[in-house]
Amino acid sequence: MESKEDGVSNGGGDMLHDIENEGILLDGKDGIRRNWSGFSERNMSYAEPLLAKRTNTTSQIAIIGANLSPIESLDYEIFENEIFNQDWRSRKKIQIIQYVILKWGFALIIGLGTGLVGLFNNISVENIAGFKLLLTTNLMSQNRYLEAFVAYAGISVILAAAAGSLCAFIAPAAAGSGIPEVKAYLNGVDAHSILAPSTLFVKIFGSVLGVSAGFVVGKEGPMNDRDRRDMITCGAAAGVAAAFRAPVGGVLFALEEAASWWRSALLWRTFFTTAVVAIVLRAAIQFCATGRCGLFGEGGLIMYDVGSSKVTYSTGDVLAAILLGVIGGVLGSVYNYLVDKVVRTYSIINEKGAIYKIILVVAIALLTSCCYYFLPWIATCKPCPTNTSVICPSVDESGEYKSFQCKPGYYNDLASLFLNTNDDAIRNLFSSRITKEFHISNLFIYFGTIFFLGIATYGIAVPSGLFIPVILAGAAYGRLVGRLFEPIVKLDTGLFALLGAASFLGGTMRMTVSICVILLELTNDLLLLPLVMLVLLISKSVADGFNKGVYEQILKIKGLPYMESHAEPYMRTLAARDVVSGPLVTFSGIEKVGNILHALESTGHNGFPVIDEPPFSDAPELCGLVLRSHLLVLLKGKNFTKDRVFMSRSISQRISALDFAKAGSGKGLKLEDLDINEEEKSMYADLHPISNASPYTVIETMSLAKAAILFRQLGLRHMCVVPKSQGRPPVVGILTRHDFMPEHILGLYPGIKPHKED
Amino acid sequence: MESKEDGVSNGGGDMLHDIENEGILLDGKDGIRRNWSGFSERNMSYAEPLLAKRTNTTSQIAIIGANLSPIESLDYEIFENEIFNQDWRSRKKIQIIQYVILKWGFALIIGLGTGLVGLFNNISVENIAGFKLLLTTNLMSQNRYLEAFVAYAGISVILAAAAGSLCAFIAPAAAGSGIPEVKAYLNGVDAHSILAPSTLFVKIFGSVLGVSAGFVVGKEGPMNDRDRRDMITCGAAAGVAAAFRAPVGGVLFALEEAASWWRSALLWRTFFTTAVVAIVLRAAIQFCATGRCGLFGEGGLIMYDVGSSKVTYSTGDVLAAILLGVIGGVLGSVYNYLVDKVVRTYSIINEKGAIYKIILVVAIALLTSCCYYFLPWIATCKPCPTNTSVICPSVDESGEYKSFQCKPGYYNDLASLFLNTNDDAIRNLFSSRITKEFHISNLFIYFGTIFFLGIATYGIAVPSGLFIPVILAGAAYGRLVGRLFEPIVKLDTGLFALLGAASFLGGTMRMTVSICVILLELTNDLLLLPLVMLVLLISKSVADGFNKGVYEQILKIKGLPYMESHAEPYMRTLAARDVVSGPLVTFSGIEKVGNILHALESTGHNGFPVIDEPPFSDAPELCGLVLRSHLLVLLKGKNFTKDRVFMSRSISQRISALDFAKAGSGKGLKLEDLDINEEEKSMYADLHPISNASPYTVIETMSLAKAAILFRQLGLRHMCVVPKSQGRPPVVGILTRHDFMPEHILGLYPGIKPHKED
């Protein structure tokens, strides 16, 4: 206990010493009380006025993204100030019921909206891509091969350019998957304009164009919606539910991957939303089955019925599945590694301007078209099977046996994969009807192409999901392994394709339960469940040994300060005060308007501790925390007093809770909207009614790990650090999410080793 | 802000006034410093020494249960004291790897164990009950009806008496479902002996006997296992996975119903455990399918393959489903209401002694046998259908067409339901092959009987699940509705039985996602998913309007202090200090051994704040929290000093972290094990090395709602309440889970209305 004497009770205190004793007191110009200089004016002495003079700049810089827009944190905590409490107490039963109905109404609308958007997406893709494929096939059947290529590549490039332009000019935030941003939002970080209506618009149309252009992208990424936390969670669940027609999978996806906090009530509401999506889609499919949706027929809205009634598997199958899982894990982590590198490279190009973005999109579109059109020429024509009920070669835009360049009665197996929509390609890979259709070498070519095209496509300026490319590559890989192991396995190669998809999904995204359920809902086959679980477990474990999941990687590249649910090991050796960054700006309970205004102008802080001092209390004490947005409303209302006195109740009642609610929603006032004259600047404002009287606090010596867990579990934005010993200012610092970021902490203490948990 | 002046800043302060100003200072006999009397000795004056003189006795009394055993809270928080930190820092990489392997190893063992127990359960039940049914059927086919009844009822009563005796004499805690207890454990409450090995033993054998006896009980309740929190969660998931062969449903059950805290890592580990269960069961079924498990053949380990390849439904079906959901919700809440009443009634009987318990069990067994054997006589014989491939009447112990008293070529439809195991009855109800087999009036008789027998059976002294009775009653009800609505619905009556089961499960248990997945995994049909979700949503919403879920009700009857994840509305009007109960016992950083001993003897407290005072600090300050179990280890080690000085490092290193870890596991020392003489009592012990230097604290004026959320989210056992203003003792009270119970709070403030949220 020898470290006790010098006031540092936590381990690792020694290295912090020089910083702590550095002394404080930032420049207190213009009468703004900073760092307790106000106290020294009144001849009160404090042993250690503040903790340390540091600024946190490390964690707010995005590695990619041209506009380095400020990243704001979100206030998820219920801000219990007096006005809120008054409003809450006066609320009548009918208003509470209205509120509940409103919340459920939103969930209903999100469900309906997502269902309809999903449907629209599917119908559009099936029709546009179907037209493109039909045209190409028809030209080829007339031996006009060059024209066929020009038509195919031309349509693709035009669609891609359109998608890229939408994205580059209207909503740059719509590029990519959207899942990392939603994940960050639900963790409490508001990335600029990710939830703007223009982003939604571009997400929907851009993804239709992008998928139709034949990119190796999925259509599931863009399906999110805008509203606040719970609604976003519902939206994320609804999006996955609509993309895969997997309502339960959607709920689990939102739970496992997206949501940082989880309550039983939220489970219940996401379940409701995805149920609405499922019902909408179900009704729509029944409608479309009658042929009233153009080329969108039975094939639309992916559902790969592998439909093998009885699955039994041998030891050979299990061994093959284990091997599949191991290699899938390795390939998945390689995928993540390459995506990371590609995204970083592309961001250099994308930052040069919108035109460069579009050029990149067109180049990738052209590359994809070339691969898709020319690679099938490598394959030799195979005679159609005689014992099948399926038409061979197929005549419509989808189909299992593409004729391509072959003479009648023959088909090209590579064309059956390449010259199809992604959905149909997956359906063909999962198919158990056509066991030996695909030659091993062709499966290998297809796998390699899709693997690298998928990587090359992510990061270009179109909305693009990651699920479908990963499933495509995984299914091809699984089918390949199934064919290679044919002598020892009893399982169908179609089921191996399913296992391959599972292993790839596990290897890249590192989710387990939700992938499992999504795959089950996609394929409608529960009997394979134990093997799917085994493969997922293995591939995730193997891949976790190499790097992090793809969404975490993208979060990191985008510089979003994501708070993990666990504390890092090195945080145990630090105390809360060791990472606090300044300058700390506090207000008196009744503060001069000029001081408030100056603090708002000169800092970007969003929360300010409010401190009562004599004569308003016996000793200085922390009486709450006040938010920037609420201060702006107060200043706008101009409820000032000439003297340092409490605001009368009549005035406090004039401030409607609604004003503050609006301010909280981010659509509130800006500093420029205020018009305060010099006389008013010398008046006083009572901050008590608008300050949160119960801010969460930690004692300065609290282990940083525990402080981080408190911060994360309760979804805080600000946390007050209070002194351990008496006779010091009642608050010695504020912790925000940025102060918990590894970049910040390891920047302060370069000696700490982050214990291999990169 | 007028309440500010008297030091009460929170609303609702007025009513608390007389309590707060009552003055404090409990009897401080034998030199134990209580309530800061130690400070007044040193002529230090404090404005308000403690908060209030209250004791909390309300919430620890169980309404049922003969042995009013003490309910202990659990320490889920990582207790970061110096010894822990030292141990943690000195831990080598190899030890961390060992620890990780150990945790996964446990998960593996739980999965394997649960899978094997599930299998054993099923094989035993199928063989014992099968033998009983075969014997009865054979006797009946020889027209020896009386002997058949005697055999049937006799075997049932003997099995029931055996199950009841096991439960009454060996492990009373094994009675009932076990899910509420697990739920409470995961919330942080240790109900006495719920996790003892004897309980597990009785759970396994008692449930086999009980189910074989023909009780309307499920075999899913007992499948839990013993270990600590995460392992219990895994065990709960594994239990459900094994009972229903639904691994994903098991994970979701653990998530939605059982676990109070949830981390992504836990999802991952439960998933692993249930995957192991699934693989074990899968292998066992393949083995048993060859006929090497006696009467356990294809029928074992429930899996009701409704297997209708294409489900389409009309508006009439949807309307019928909505009605089904509404009535199912009402019936579900009636079920809960009656279960509550019956359990309370039975507890009066059960408390009289073990013999009464067994008599009750035998009486219910006899009642069940009579219902099962005599009710089928009401039904008229129906001619066997001619267009079916199934043998009619069936000849083996299970089967869809029971001959009962009928002449050859005829069958008794009620006997097909009653004289079968519960699993086979469910299979028959879900069957779509035998559309018109069950007459409407017979379905009604069956439904009524099962509904009331299920209620009458819960609460007797046998391990009994709730799932199967609820599914049985729900399936009968659903099939009944399906038959009644035959003119307007297109859906198969078997599928209506499934929807009925969903509505009943939603109405009683109020789970959604997990029931949905369990039903899907049970029936292997995903196409019905939207309707199942709809029915679940409606029945849960309707039933929530009447009362709480059945597990919450049982928790309440058992008096387990369960902390809800949300704060009650009335908590917003109270502050943390308003509910603190005393006496508060604190220790000095270096405390007299006699004082420690006396405090341990005279209170039942588990956590004591440790306060450093001059000369060891400038002013009194909270330096940590120390646990009873750790104090006992310290006293046992006798590392005392003659004078009030810090313990030397050499001594502190002698105290092995392992000793404390063992103490934490509840298997540690008892007060009686200590042997401290008078001389030692006057010596001093340094509490710093064993105290948690970073206890979570709240300021006394913190809104109680926020304090409750902090307490619940972080899974705390003790929370220190610190003063708002300076110049008072550094800790003014301790909050434990009991202080947040509505019984306690509403007992203190009878004026508060608990806002209809019962």
Side-chain angles (χ1 to χ4, degrees):
Chain A
M1 288 309 305
E2 57 273 76
S3 60
K4 201 92 213 103
E5 283 90 344
D6 50 48
V8 184
S9 74
N10 267 55
D14 299 73
M15 75 178 97
L16 317 174
H17 244 212
D18 31 6
I19 301 176
E20 271 164 10
N21 296 338
E22 211 185 83
I24 324 290
L25 295 173
L26 298 179
D27 51 335
K29 59 180 175 192
D30 313 79
I32 291 234
R33 272 193 319 99
R34 295 186 180 199
N35 310 319
W36 290 90
S37 57
F39 269 93
S40 48
E41 277 170 22
R42 261 170 259 125
N43 291 325
M44 295 171 76
S45 67
Y46 283 100
E48 295 176 56
L50 222 201
L51 289 169
K53 175 183 168 179
R54 310 186 193 99
T55 344
N56 186 344
T57 50
T58 42
S59 60
Q60 297 172 40
I61 301 148
I63 297 169
I64 67 162
N67 52 340
L68 285 160
S69 55
I71 291 163
E72 283 242 339
S73 294
L74 296 160
D75 291 291
Y76 283 153
E77 193 195 346
I78 294 177
F79 199 82
E80 283 190 17
N81 59 25
E82 216 170 85
I83 289 172
F84 171 86
N85 279 333
Q86 215 167 287
D87 175 57
W88 187 83
R89 260 180 255 130
S90 69
R91 216 177 279 176
K92 289 186 197 72
K93 206 165 180 178
I94 184 82
Q95 284 170 303
I96 294 169
I97 292 168
Q98 273 176 355
Y99 175 70
V100 169
I101 290 172
L102 197 72
K103 287 218 287 193
W104 284 98
F106 263 120
L108 179 69
I109 289 167
I110 290 172
L112 287 175
T114 315
L116 293 175
V117 167
L119 196 69
F120 167 77
N121 247 9
N122 272 279
I123 292 176
S124 312
V125 167
E126 291 286 324
N127 279 299
I128 299 174
F131 167 77
K132 181 179 81 177
L133 292 169
L134 259 187
L135 184 67
T136 314
T137 312
N138 286 342
L139 286 171
M140 288 190 79
S141 67
Q142 298 160 34
N143 291 335
R144 293 154 69 184
Y145 295 121
L146 187 69
E147 283 164 80
F149 172 69
V150 171
Y152 182 77
I155 296 176
S156 296
V157 165
I158 291 168
L159 292 170
S165 311
L166 270 181
C167 198
F169 291 115
I170 301 179
S177 153
I179 290 174
E181 285 87 354
V182 169
K183 210 177 150 170
Y185 188 94
L186 293 175
N187 191 264
V189 189
D190 194 5
H192 186 64
S193 79
I194 184 65
L195 295 171
S198 63
T199 307
L200 178 64
F201 169 81
V202 172
K203 280 268 179 200
I204 295 171
F205 288 93
S207 75
V208 169
L209 294 171
V211 174
S212 303
F215 279 133
V216 189
V217 300
K219 58 182 184 286
E220 79 292 345
M223 304 221 184
N224 307 308
D225 211 325
R226 69 173 299 283
D227 199 32
R228 310 217 137 243
R229 187 170 81 184
D230 292 7
M231 292 297 133
I232 302 280
T233 311
C234 287
V240 173
F244 297 112
R245 225 165 90 189
V248 180
V251 171
L252 285 174
F253 173 80
L255 156 68
E256 188 172 1
E257 187 59 26
S260 288
W261 295 279
W262 196 257
R263 293 170 290 123
S264 215
L266 203 53
L267 195 67
W268 179 213
R269 191 166 302 127
T270 48
F271 186 74
F272 171 77
T273 313
T274 60
V276 172
V277 171
I279 291 162
V280 167
L281 291 184
R282 175 103 207 166
I285 289 161
Q286 285 198 355
F287 176 82
C288 284
T290 57
R292 279 175 281 186
C293 307
L295 294 172
F296 176 93
E298 283 284 308
L301 274 167
I302 36 173
M303 175 74 146
Y304 316 104
D305 210 328
V306 297
S308 50
S309 57
K310 250 329 183 231
V311 186
T312 51
Y313 32 86
S314 63
T315 321
D317 293 317
V318 175
L319 290 177
I322 290 172
L323 188 75
L324 197 81
V326 172
I327 301 175
V330 173
L331 288 175
S333 62
V334 169
Y335 197 95
N336 289 2
Y337 175 79
L338 293 177
V339 162
D340 188 89
K341 290 278 163 277
V342 165
V343 169
R344 282 170 197 261
T345 313
Y346 283 181
S347 73
I348 300 168
I349 301 171
N350 286 339
E351 273 169 39
K352 290 187 181 160
I355 296 300
Y356 287 87
K357 279 187 187 176
I358 297 168
I359 290 172
L360 182 63
V361 169
V362 168
I364 299 290
L366 209 56
L367 174 68
T368 309
S369 295
C370 290
C371 287
Y372 277 33
Y373 188 82
F374 292 115
L375 283 175
W377 293 92
I378 299 171
T380 48
C381 293
K382 292 168 83 177
C384 279
T386 48
N387 56 347
T388 175
S389 57
V390 188
I391 303 153
C392 172
S394 40
V395 286
D396 61 348
E397 82 285 358
S398 62
E400 296 168 358
Y401 298 97
K402 286 275 176 181
S403 145
F404 204 65
Q405 90 285 22
C406 304
K407 57 179 186 280
Y410 286 78
Y411 73 96
N412 182 318
D413 58 349
L414 256 182
S416 303
L417 294 173
F418 276 124
L419 283 187
N420 248 328
T421 57
N422 291 338
D423 282 9
D424 284 321
I426 294 176
R427 198 169 286 116
N428 288 345
L429 285 169
F430 280 179
S431 174
S432 54
R433 276 189 300 192
I434 37 179
T435 320
K436 304 227 171 186
E437 196 204 2
F438 303 110
H439 197 269
I440 292 179
S441 62
N442 291 341
L443 276 174
F444 190 80
I445 292 170
Y446 183 72
F447 166 67
T449 314
I450 288 295
F451 186 83
F452 289 107
L453 275 182
I455 292 165
T457 309
Y458 195 85
I460 62 172
V462 290
S464 53
L466 272 168
F467 267 97
I468 296 291
V470 169
I471 291 178
L472 260 182
Y477 151 73
R479 199 159 181 127
L480 185 62
V481 171
R483 288 296 300 277
L484 290 174
F485 281 81
E486 226 156 26
I488 65 154
V489 301
K490 276 166 64 186
L491 223 56
D492 189 279
T493 45
L495 297 178
F496 262 101
L498 176 66
L499 293 177
S503 78
F504 249 58
L505 286 168
T508 51
M509 314 206 165
R510 317 289 163 84
M511 293 178 276
T512 50
V513 186
S514 45
I515 288 179
C516 202
V517 173
I518 289 172
L519 280 180
L520 291 179
E521 291 189 290
L522 275 179
T523 57
N524 195 21
D525 190 359
L526 283 153
L527 296 161
L528 209 58
L529 186 57
L531 267 193
V532 171
M533 292 177 95
L534 183 72
V535 166
L536 273 172
L537 278 170
I538 294 170
S539 68
K540 182 185 147 75
S541 310
V542 168
D544 272 344
F546 294 104
N547 51 22
K548 284 200 172 182
V550 69
Y551 293 131
E552 277 99 87
Q553 284 196 342
I554 296 170
L555 269 178
K556 202 161 188 182
I557 299 175
K558 295 211 166 189
L560 298 171
Y562 187 85
M563 279 211 75
E564 297 287 342
S565 61
H566 60 271
E568 300 295 329
Y570 58 80
M571 292 188 180
R572 287 231 184 103
T573 58
L574 293 171
R577 63 172 160 202
D578 298 339
V579 300
V580 165
S581 53
L584 174 69
V585 181
T586 61
F587 291 131
S588 290
I590 298 164
E591 182 61 275
K592 216 176 228 176
V593 174
N595 288 358
I596 298 173
L597 208 59
H598 184 272
L600 293 180
E601 278 165 1
S602 60
T603 73
H605 296 189
N606 267 284
F608 302 91
V610 177
I611 286 158
D612 266 336
E613 294 152 43
F616 300 104
S617 65
D618 294 336
E621 57 186 38
L622 174 66
C623 79
L625 188 84
V626 71
L627 293 187
R628 169 179 285 262
S629 55
H630 291 178
L631 283 173
L632 288 171
V633 175
L634 188 82
L635 293 183
K636 182 79 180 169
K638 299 201 176 186
N639 295 312
F640 308 140
T641 49
K642 279 233 175 319
D643 304 308
R644 214 179 166 90
V645 291
F646 286 116
M647 193 190 289
S648 73
R649 172 140 295 208
S650 63
I651 292 177
S652 108
Q653 271 167 348
R654 268 218 312 252
I655 311 172
S656 150
L658 216 65
D659 289 344
F660 288 99
K662 222 194 293 167
S665 74
K667 275 173 269 169
L669 291 161
K670 292 206 173 54
L671 198 56
E672 301 85 73
D673 302 338
L674 295 181
D675 177 29
I676 303 219
N677 60 34
E678 282 305 317
E679 192 199 332
E680 284 165 339
K681 277 189 186 168
S682 64
M683 291 171 82
Y684 289 91
D686 183 2
L687 302 183
H688 293 108
I690 61 162
S691 51
N692 177 1
S694 310
Y696 285 105
T697 56
V698 290
I699 294 175
E700 55 181 344
T701 53
M702 165 81 89
S703 139
L704 188 63
K706 290 183 117 180
I709 286 166
L710 170 63
F711 193 90
R712 171 64 171 71
Q713 292 284 346
L714 301 183
L716 303 183
R717 183 172 181 177
H718 308 102
M719 191 156 73
C720 297
V721 182
V722 298
K724 181 173 180 157
S725 52
Q726 303 194 334
R728 287 173 59 208
V731 57
V732 293
I734 284 222
L735 287 172
T736 66
R737 97 176 19 242
H738 298 289
D739 298 320
F740 291 106
M741 290 298 121
E743 294 84 0
H744 172 61
I745 299 171
L746 299 176
L748 288 175
Y749 305 107
I752 293 175
K753 284 194 203 79
H755 268 270
K756 90 168 174 58
E757 283 215 16
D758 187 65
Chain B
M1 289 310 303
E2 55 274 77
S3 61
K4 201 86 214 109
E5 283 87 345
D6 50 49
V8 183
S9 74
N10 267 56
D14 298 73
M15 77 176 97
L16 317 175
H17 242 211
D18 32 7
I19 302 177
E20 271 166 8
N21 296 339
E22 215 186 83
I24 324 287
L25 296 174
L26 299 179
D27 51 338
K29 58 183 177 191
D30 314 81
I32 289 234
R33 272 192 319 99
R34 296 186 178 199
N35 310 317
W36 289 89
S37 57
F39 270 91
S40 47
E41 279 171 18
R42 261 170 258 126
N43 291 326
M44 294 171 75
S45 69
Y46 283 100
E48 295 175 56
L50 220 199
L51 288 170
K53 175 182 169 179
R54 311 185 194 99
T55 344
N56 186 345
T57 52
T58 42
S59 60
Q60 298 172 37
I61 300 149
I63 298 169
I64 67 162
N67 53 339
L68 286 162
S69 57
I71 291 165
E72 283 241 344
S73 293
L74 296 160
D75 292 292
Y76 283 152
E77 193 196 346
I78 293 176
F79 199 83
E80 284 190 15
N81 59 27
E82 214 170 87
I83 289 171
F84 171 86
N85 280 333
Q86 215 167 285
D87 176 57
W88 187 83
R89 257 180 261 131
S90 68
R91 215 176 281 178
K92 291 187 196 72
K93 206 163 179 180
I94 184 82
Q95 283 171 304
I96 293 170
I97 292 168
Q98 273 177 355
Y99 176 70
V100 170
I101 290 172
L102 197 72
K103 286 219 287 194
W104 283 99
F106 262 121
L108 179 70
I109 289 166
I110 290 173
L112 287 174
T114 315
L116 292 174
V117 166
L119 195 70
F120 167 77
N121 248 9
N122 272 279
I123 293 176
S124 312
V125 167
E126 291 285 324
N127 279 299
I128 299 175
F131 168 77
K132 182 178 80 175
L133 291 169
L134 259 187
L135 184 67
T136 313
T137 312
N138 286 343
L139 286 169
M140 287 188 81
S141 67
Q142 299 160 33
N143 292 335
R144 293 153 72 181
Y145 294 120
L146 189 66
E147 284 166 78
F149 173 69
V150 172
Y152 181 76
I155 296 175
S156 296
V157 166
I158 291 167
L159 292 171
S165 312
L166 271 181
C167 197
F169 292 115
I170 300 178
S177 152
I179 290 173
E181 285 86 353
V182 170
K183 212 178 148 167
Y185 188 92
L186 294 176
N187 191 262
V189 189
D190 194 7
H192 185 66
S193 79
I194 186 62
L195 295 172
S198 63
T199 307
L200 178 65
F201 170 80
V202 172
K203 281 267 179 200
I204 295 171
F205 288 93
S207 76
V208 168
L209 295 170
V211 174
S212 303
F215 279 131
V216 189
V217 300
K219 55 180 187 285
E220 79 290 349
M223 304 219 184
N224 306 310
D225 211 325
R226 70 172 298 284
D227 199 33
R228 308 212 143 248
R229 188 171 81 182
D230 291 5
M231 291 298 135
I232 302 279
T233 311
C234 288
V240 172
F244 297 112
R245 224 166 88 189
V248 180
V251 171
L252 285 174
F253 173 81
L255 155 67
E256 188 173 1
E257 187 60 26
S260 288
W261 294 278
W262 196 259
R263 293 168 292 122
S264 213
L266 203 53
L267 194 68
W268 178 214
R269 192 167 301 128
T270 48
F271 186 75
F272 171 77
T273 313
T274 62
V276 172
V277 171
I279 291 161
V280 168
L281 292 184
R282 175 102 208 169
I285 289 163
Q286 286 198 353
F287 176 81
C288 284
T290 56
R292 278 175 282 186
C293 307
L295 294 172
F296 176 93
E298 282 284 309
L301 275 167
I302 35 173
M303 176 74 146
Y304 315 106
D305 210 328
V306 298
S308 50
S309 57
K310 248 333 183 230
V311 187
T312 51
Y313 30 88
S314 62
T315 321
D317 292 320
V318 174
L319 290 177
I322 291 172
L323 189 76
L324 196 83
V326 172
I327 301 176
V330 174
L331 288 174
S333 63
V334 169
Y335 197 95
N336 288 3
Y337 175 80
L338 293 176
V339 162
D340 187 272
K341 290 280 164 271
V342 164
V343 169
R344 282 168 197 262
T345 313
Y346 282 0
S347 73
I348 300 168
I349 302 170
N350 285 340
E351 274 169 38
K352 290 185 180 163
I355 296 300
Y356 286 86
K357 279 187 186 176
I358 296 168
I359 291 173
L360 183 62
V361 170
V362 168
I364 299 290
L366 210 55
L367 175 68
T368 308
S369 295
C370 289
C371 286
Y372 277 31
Y373 189 81
F374 292 115
L375 283 175
W377 293 91
I378 298 172
T380 49
C381 294
K382 292 168 86 175
C384 280
T386 47
N387 56 346
T388 175
S389 58
V390 188
I391 303 152
C392 171
S394 39
V395 287
D396 61 348
E397 82 286 357
S398 62
E400 295 168 359
Y401 298 97
K402 285 276 175 180
S403 143
F404 206 62
Q405 91 285 21
C406 303
K407 57 181 185 279
Y410 286 78
Y411 73 96
N412 182 319
D413 57 351
L414 258 182
S416 302
L417 294 173
F418 276 125
L419 283 188
N420 246 330
T421 57
N422 292 337
D423 281 8
D424 284 322
I426 294 176
R427 197 168 286 115
N428 289 344
L429 285 169
F430 280 178
S431 173
S432 54
R433 274 188 301 193
I434 36 180
T435 320
K436 305 229 170 185
E437 195 204 4
F438 304 109
H439 195 268
I440 292 180
S441 62
N442 290 341
L443 276 174
F444 190 80
I445 292 170
Y446 183 71
F447 166 66
T449 314
I450 288 296
F451 186 82
F452 289 107
L453 275 182
I455 292 165
T457 308
Y458 195 86
I460 64 173
V462 290
S464 52
L466 272 169
F467 266 97
I468 295 291
V470 168
I471 291 178
L472 260 182
Y477 150 75
R479 199 159 180 125
L480 186 62
V481 170
R483 287 298 300 276
L484 289 173
F485 280 80
E486 226 156 24
I488 65 154
V489 300
K490 276 166 66 186
L491 223 57
D492 190 281
T493 45
L495 296 179
F496 261 101
L498 176 66
L499 293 178
S503 78
F504 249 57
L505 286 168
T508 52
M509 312 200 168
R510 316 287 163 85
M511 294 176 278
T512 50
V513 186
S514 46
I515 288 179
C516 202
V517 174
I518 289 173
L519 281 180
L520 290 179
E521 290 188 292
L522 276 179
T523 58
N524 194 23
D525 189 0
L526 283 154
L527 296 162
L528 209 57
L529 185 58
L531 267 193
V532 171
M533 291 178 95
L534 183 71
V535 166
L536 273 173
L537 277 171
I538 294 171
S539 68
K540 180 183 148 76
S541 309
V542 168
D544 272 343
F546 293 105
N547 50 24
K548 286 199 169 183
V550 68
Y551 293 131
E552 276 100 86
Q553 284 197 342
I554 296 170
L555 270 178
K556 200 161 190 182
I557 298 174
K558 296 210 166 188
L560 298 171
Y562 187 84
M563 279 212 72
E564 298 288 343
S565 61
H566 59 274
E568 300 295 329
Y570 58 79
M571 291 187 179
R572 286 233 183 102
T573 59
L574 294 171
R577 63 171 160 203
D578 298 339
V579 300
V580 166
S581 53
L584 173 70
V585 181
T586 60
F587 291 131
S588 290
I590 298 165
E591 184 58 277
K592 213 175 229 178
V593 173
N595 288 357
I596 298 172
L597 207 59
H598 184 271
L600 293 179
E601 277 165 2
S602 60
T603 72
H605 295 189
N606 267 284
F608 303 90
V610 178
I611 287 158
D612 265 336
E613 292 153 48
F616 300 104
S617 64
D618 295 336
E621 56 184 39
L622 174 66
C623 79
L625 188 84
V626 71
L627 292 187
R628 168 178 286 262
S629 54
H630 291 178
L631 283 173
L632 287 171
V633 175
L634 188 82
L635 293 183
K636 183 78 178 171
K638 299 200 178 184
N639 294 313
F640 308 141
T641 49
K642 278 234 177 319
D643 302 307
R644 215 178 165 89
V645 290
F646 286 115
M647 192 190 288
S648 72
R649 172 142 293 211
S650 63
I651 292 178
S652 110
Q653 273 170 344
R654 268 218 312 251
I655 310 173
S656 149
L658 214 65
D659 289 344
F660 288 99
K662 221 195 292 166
S665 75
K667 275 174 271 168
L669 292 160
K670 291 205 178 54
L671 198 55
E672 302 86 74
D673 302 337
L674 296 180
D675 177 30
I676 302 220
N677 61 33
E678 282 306 316
E679 191 199 333
E680 284 166 337
K681 276 189 188 169
S682 64
M683 289 170 82
Y684 289 91
D686 183 2
L687 303 183
H688 292 110
I690 62 162
S691 50
N692 176 0
S694 311
Y696 284 105
T697 57
V698 289
I699 294 176
E700 54 180 344
T701 53
M702 166 81 89
S703 141
L704 187 62
K706 290 183 116 179
I709 286 167
L710 170 62
F711 193 90
R712 171 64 170 71
Q713 292 285 344
L714 301 184
L716 302 183
R717 183 173 182 176
H718 307 102
M719 190 157 74
C720 296
V721 181
V722 298
K724 181 175 179 153
S725 50
Q726 303 195 334
R728 288 172 59 207
V731 58
V732 293
I734 284 222
L735 287 173
T736 66
R737 89 172 29 236
H738 298 290
D739 298 319
F740 292 106
M741 290 297 122
E743 295 83 0
H744 172 60
I745 298 170
L746 299 176
L748 287 176
Y749 306 107
I752 293 175
K753 285 192 203 79
H755 270 272
K756 88 170 174 53
E757 283 216 14
D758 186 68

